[in-house]
Amino acid sequence: MEVINYIDAIDLKKLIDHNQNEVQLIDIRENYELVNEGKTDSIHIPMGELINRLSEIPKAKIVVFHCSSGQRSSNILNFMLMNGLYKDNFYSLEGGFKAWSSIN
């Protein structure tokens, strides 16, 4: 059975540092979370809108989905996997925005 890909914040930073144009972050947090926690250089698509906005996700890049803690991004990628929408270039950021902001 296929499983989703995960990446931690340190490996993501290294990946971006060496392949910046090859990586796209997708922030699936809700609007209020952006206000409370801060923004990233991501495409913002709230989780509830993601399935209807799949056409906005780059097909030729490594795509890293993140939420606040990593739970929702993992859940949405598992949902996509179960429904035939998951791609091999999709990753969930372990620890989410909290992990990412702790190293940046």
Side-chain angles (χ1 to χ4, degrees), residues 43-56:
I43 295 174
H44 178 237
I45 305 175
M47 183 175 167
E49 299 175 16
L50 189 62
I51 299 304
N52 294 324
R53 294 175 61 185
L54 291 175
S55 63
E56 297 176 40

Side-chain angles (χ1 to χ4, degrees), residues 26-71:
I26 305 287
D27 187 341
I28 65 166
R29 295 176 296 159
E30 299 300 324
N31 291 326
Y32 74 88
E33 292 174 288
L34 300 180
V35 172
N36 294 336
E37 298 173 357
K39 296 181 181 181
T40 61
D41 292 333
S42 305
I43 295 174
H44 178 237
I45 305 175
M47 183 175 167
E49 299 175 16
L50 189 62
I51 299 304
N52 294 324
R53 294 175 61 185
L54 291 175
S55 63
E56 297 176 40
I57 299 171
K59 294 175 181 28
K61 291 187 176 189
I62 297 167
V63 181
V64 180
F65 294 83
H66 75 85
C67 56
S68 289
S69 68
Q71 185 64 47

Side-chain angles (χ1 to χ4, degrees), residues 5-21:
N5 299 316
Y6 290 92
I7 190 167
D8 65 35
I10 292 170
D11 287 339
L12 176 58
K13 179 147 179 49
K14 290 176 190 173
L15 184 65
I16 291 172
D17 288 347
H18 293 97
N19 303 292
Q20 184 172 2
N21 295 327

Side-chain angles (χ1 to χ4, degrees), residues 59-93:
K59 294 175 181 28
K61 291 187 176 189
I62 297 167
V63 181
V64 180
F65 294 83
H66 75 85
C67 56
S68 289
S69 68
Q71 185 64 47
R72 285 175 289 170
S73 59
S74 177
N75 289 344
I76 195 71
L77 290 182
N78 275 307
F79 173 84
M80 292 168 79
L81 179 65
M82 291 186 309
N83 289 281
L85 303 170
Y86 182 78
K87 307 293 183 205
D88 289 341
N89 60 316
F90 289 178
Y91 288 79
S92 176
L93 177 59

